Amino acid sequence: MTDALDRCRANIGALLRPRSIAIVGASSNPSAFGRRLLANLERFAFGGDIHLVGRADSIEGRPCLPSIDALPEGVDLAVIAIGRADVPEAVRQCGLRGVRSAIVYGSGFAETGVEGRRAQDVLARHAIDAGIALLGPNCTGLTNFVDNVPLTFGNSRPRAVKEPAIAIVGQSGGMVGAIRMALEARQLDISCTIATGNEGVLGVEDFLDELIRDETTRVILVFAEQIRRPGHFLEAAAKAHRAGKALLLLHPGRSAAGQRSAASHTGAIVGDHAAMRAAVDHAGIIRVDTVEELVDVAELVLRCPRPPQGGLAILTDSGAFKSLSSDFCEAAGVALPPIERMREALAGELPAFITPENPLDVSAQALQQPDIYGRCGRLLLEEPGVGALLIAIMPSSPEFGLKAARETLALLPDNGKPVLYALFGGDSPISPELTPLLRNAGIPFYRVPERAMAAIGHYMRHAASAGQPRAPASRGAPAMPAGARAAMPEWQAKRWLGAAGLPVPDGRLATDVEAAVAAAFEIGYPVALKAQSPALPHKSDVGGVALGLADEAALRDAFAKMTGSITIRLDGLLVEPMAKRGAELFVSARRDPAWGPMLTIGLGGVWVEALNDVRTFPADLGEGAIQAEIGALRGARLLEGWRGEAASDVAAAAALAARLGALLIASPWIREIEINPLLVYPGKEGVLILDALIATDRAAE
């Protein structure tokens, strides 16, 4: 199947830049999809051959062919604008005529349920068998504005496109159109819009390679309710990063309701949204949560192609906004670096009553000295720790706003650091010259400063994650234990983890009380006693854990009670030394079926379920990046030395998590390794695995 799909993907060029087009279902009815498409092609002065297939003798002076088999061999693209029942057969006939690509507008396929899914599967099979690059069904088509190819039934208008430009690809035609209109309102050039609909053959990820190669496109926006080939999507993200192009993603489905909506809209089966976020956030992709953010960030990265290397400096003339911006940046994780090297120089530009700091409030002094924005902005941009500058100005009058912007731009250095400009006041009047002035200078312009800060925050997180080192290849892993079951109980999981070099207690599995007593004698009291069975993932719920057993009598009593009350078959009881107290973490290495090996880490014990304070990230992330993920937990302060306690050995926890991820990657027979809790000791005392389970693929060799 993969080879057949590759044949389809090889024809995407014919879909995006066809030299010949057949309209199957051509009609003289002005509202018919085929007629609307023809009008668009004529409006764009499409220079290739157009073949009409329909019932009329001619349409607008163009002759009509009676059937698909009357088409010449090897037409680049067939746009199929007929009823659902006839679509699969039309695709089959196109394949027989050597058509290289096709677009199916019609709905009534997988988005409608089982019957529609069957019809879609038939049409997809015909396309794949013939190597046809099929867009749709249930889509609005595409428009290539660079080459003047409008393949949509919407009322499209040609426009001159300058480099650099933005491409939009998404499953929802309505959303793709709305995003395009929002970008055009900001005078941003659009190179291409692609609406993939139900994705019977081609998905959003299949178009990325072509868009990355396109010289006009610098930014690619993706709206996806499902990414059907995550591996290819991540590979394309790496290509985009190497090519200096930005890839932005808006992916709904965080909520259960959002997942249901996506399924009814495109027939998508939405996967694990948390795993998706973890994968894309560490793959050089800028992931946003709203359409507003998508448009804001798109303008920013298009106008400011060099990602910020450092924190944000904020220059304003409002003390109130100074406080608000500090709060916003702290909540959003946007660093506001202190002013150090430029402190004296700033002091020389400011009145004595203003302290040089970040955010910097120049006060109402700006009304008397409008050039103070530029003089101070120049110095802020020269501060080594500053990677970007936001200038946020209170409105005075349209004339003053224009004057302030002109004097500011005249003084700012061109050092490649992004500069954003915000003018308070929402939709209040501004000079008609202000917006073009800023945009011609390559400066994104916002009327809501919080949107500017959110956008630069996304860009900064992208800059930080794009260069994250990944862990080197694994040094190997122990073989799967003989007789391993679908769920390896604690004793077996710990034995395997210990063989892999991870810290586990010195425990013994006892199948009778005498063996337990002998084990405790070797280990030394006090000991813990824990029931062992693959069917007991939560031993304490059934009385399967006894702690702090101080002597033989206590051990014998606990053994008798445990074996007498637990009715399921046990492998035995695990005898371990009592571990000293430490902070508790939950660590899981899991093989996500769509996005691959993932690590999840959070507060351990019962807190992981009670608080859901966890971070998920790719399993091959380096130790330094894993430490940063641990530090991003809401409960991270508990590890940093809470109320006089010594700070926990987070470095050792990160090292263990990195090794766990490597073990998962090197062991395809493992589906998941769960450690809960992992005891993290203070200072440099390391970590200890207190409990562990391993889920396996028993079919693996």
Side-chain angles (χ1 to χ4, degrees):
M1 175 65 77
T2 300
D3 291 341
L5 284 172
D6 285 342
R7 289 176 56 214
C8 299
R9 296 175 189 123
N11 282 323
I12 289 177
L15 178 62
L16 295 176
R17 293 174 294 276
R19 294 164 298 180
S20 55
I21 298 173
I23 302 177
V24 179
S27 169
S28 58
N29 181 351
S31 63
F33 284 176
R35 181 66 187 86
R36 292 166 68 90
L37 168 62
L38 179 60
N40 281 333
L41 291 170
E42 292 174 340
R43 190 178 300 116
F44 276 68
F46 175 71
D49 296 330
I50 299 176
H51 307 281
L52 305 183
V53 178
R55 297 175 181 176
D57 292 332
S58 66
I59 298 174
E60 296 295 325
R62 296 178 181 270
C64 278
L65 301 174
S67 62
I68 292 173
D69 58 16
L71 285 171
E73 285 278 351
V75 170
D76 277 345
L77 169 69
V79 180
I80 300 175
I82 57 180
R84 191 200 80 171
D86 298 322
V87 169
E89 176 60 18
V91 172
R92 188 188 71 82
Q93 292 178 12
C94 285
L96 295 176
R97 299 302 295 165
V99 173
R100 298 173 62 198
S101 65
I103 298 175
V104 177
Y105 294 143
S107 58
F109 290 92
E111 80 281 1
T112 64
V114 175
E115 183 182 348
R117 165 61 67 182
R118 290 196 190 102
Q120 181 170 307
D121 288 344
V122 172
L123 93 86
R125 186 168 62 251
H126 289 326
I128 292 169
D129 288 346
I132 294 174
L134 179 76
L135 183 66
N138 187 29
C139 76
T140 58
L142 67 88
T143 300
N144 176 350
F145 290 103
V146 176
D147 298 305
N148 286 320
V149 184
L151 301 173
T152 178
F153 54 81
N155 187 9
S156 192
R157 298 285 176 181
R159 60 182 56 82
V161 180
K162 298 178 294 183
E163 296 183 28
I166 299 172
I168 311 166
V169 55
Q171 289 150 351
S172 165
M175 186 61 70
V176 167
I179 294 169
R180 172 185 59 79
M181 294 173 67
L183 294 172
E184 288 174 347
R186 298 193 185 199
Q187 300 174 11
L188 299 169
D189 281 314
I190 313 297
S191 60
C192 189
T193 62
I194 305 168
T196 58
N198 285 10
E199 301 187 337
V201 175
L202 299 177
V204 291
E205 63 273 13
D206 293 307
F207 291 92
L208 298 182
D209 286 347
E210 284 281 345
L211 296 175
I212 291 167
R213 286 192 291 266
D214 180 56
E215 294 181 357
T216 304
T217 300
R218 179 190 287 168
V219 180
I220 304 168
L221 307 188
V222 176
F223 178 88
E225 292 163 298
Q226 182 190 18
I227 296 172
R228 288 173 166 80
R229 293 198 301 141
H232 185 76
F233 186 74
L234 296 177
E235 289 172 7
K239 292 178 185 177
H241 180 65
R242 291 193 295 269
K245 300 193 176 185
L247 180 58
L248 278 63
L249 172 66
L250 175 57
H251 190 314
R254 284 177 294 172
S255 66
Q259 293 181 11
R260 289 192 298 272
S261 174
S264 65
H265 189 186
T266 64
I269 302 171
V270 178
D272 185 339
H273 201 270
M276 179 280 300
R277 295 196 303 269
V280 303
D281 286 354
H282 294 278
I285 299 166
I286 305 177
R287 180 183 57 84
V288 299
D289 294 321
T290 67
V291 175
E292 183 180 83
E293 288 181 342
L294 187 69
V295 174
D296 288 343
V297 179
E299 178 175 11
L300 173 59
V301 298
L302 187 72
R303 300 194 190 280
C304 305
R306 196 181 95 175
Q309 304 297 319
L312 176 66
I314 297 176
L315 175 62
T316 184
D317 52 12
S318 166
F321 178 67
K322 175 181 176 180
S323 300
L324 286 172
S325 63
S326 297
D327 293 345
F328 185 96
C329 289
E330 180 177 339
V334 177
L336 295 171
I339 303 304
E340 296 174 347
R341 186 178 298 180
M342 295 295 109
R343 178 174 292 274
E344 290 187 12
L346 277 168
E349 299 288 354
L350 294 166
F353 61 87
I354 297 177
T355 301
E357 58 187 351
N358 184 25
L360 178 61
D361 169 25
V362 298
S363 75
Q365 187 73 21
L367 293 173
Q368 301 178 44
Q369 299 174 287
D371 65 342
I372 197 171
Y373 301 116
R375 290 187 282 112
C376 293
R378 173 177 56 82
L379 295 173
L380 289 171
L381 286 169
E382 291 175 2
E383 179 70 33
V386 168
L389 172 65
L390 168 63
I391 303 173
I393 298 176
M394 285 289 172
S396 173
S397 66
E399 295 75 21
F400 178 81
L402 179 61
K403 178 178 176 61
R406 282 176 172 163
E407 299 200 14
T408 300
L409 294 180
L411 295 172
L412 291 181
D414 184 14
N415 60 5
K417 294 182 179 181
V419 177
L420 300 82
Y421 200 93
L423 187 66
F424 288 83
D427 294 329
S428 62
I430 60 174
S431 168
E433 300 176 53
L434 178 59
T435 300
L437 173 70
L438 293 168
R439 287 172 176 163
N440 290 337
I443 294 179
F445 178 40
Y446 304 86
R447 296 303 307 271
V448 180
E450 288 84 356
R451 291 177 61 170
M453 290 185 289
I456 196 64
H458 280 294
Y459 207 10
M460 287 178 168
R461 284 186 289 275
H462 159 71
S465 66
Q468 280 181 339
R470 295 302 177 95
S474 170
R475 59 180 182 270
M480 179 172 66
R485 290 157 286 184
M488 290 169 58
E490 177 188 3
W491 71 270
Q492 194 175 34
K494 282 182 172 177
R495 183 175 295 178
W496 188 85
L497 292 169
L502 298 181
V504 296
D506 180 20
R508 310 281 194 278
L509 182 69
T511 56
D512 58 54
V513 69
E514 298 306 326
V517 170
F521 179 78
E522 291 181 18
I523 293 170
Y525 290 99
V527 296
L529 189 67
K530 296 185 274 187
Q532 299 294 300
S533 169
L536 276 181
H538 301 291
K539 298 176 285 292
S540 59
D541 292 349
V542 295
V545 177
L547 303 177
L549 303 176
D551 51 32
E552 181 178 334
L555 175 61
R556 287 182 179 275
D557 182 59
F559 196 103
K561 289 180 178 178
M562 206 172 289
T563 54
S565 63
I566 298 175
T567 58
I568 65 172
R569 181 180 176 182
L570 299 176
D571 293 355
L573 277 70
L574 182 62
V575 183
E576 287 184 342
M578 286 296 296
K580 64 180 181 179
R581 290 182 58 195
E584 296 185 358
L585 287 180
F586 164 87
V587 185
S588 169
R590 179 175 66 91
R591 200 177 304 280
D592 184 83
W595 296 95
M598 292 284 163
L599 283 171
T600 298
I601 198 162
L603 295 183
V606 299
W607 298 114
V608 66
E609 295 180 5
L611 301 179
N612 194 29
D613 182 15
V614 298
R615 303 285 296 183
T616 298
F617 44 90
D620 64 345
L621 213 58
E623 291 182 25
I626 294 176
Q627 283 197 59
E629 292 286 346
I630 296 173
L633 291 167
R634 296 192 302 273
R637 292 184 64 188
L638 298 175
L639 305 171
E640 297 168 355
W642 180 253
R643 294 195 172 183
E645 297 286 338
S648 299
D649 194 347
V650 174
L656 180 139
R659 176 62 176 148
L660 203 65
L663 289 172
L664 180 70
I665 293 170
S667 307
W669 54 273
I670 295 178
R671 288 189 290 110
E672 184 172 6
I673 307 171
E674 180 182 302
I675 297 173
N676 186 26
L678 174 72
L679 294 180
V680 187
Y681 292 119
K684 300 294 182 181
E685 296 182 31
V687 295
L688 182 68
I689 297 171
L690 202 59
D691 199 355
L693 291 173
I694 297 178
T696 73
D697 178 0
R698 291 185 297 173
E701 297 181 358

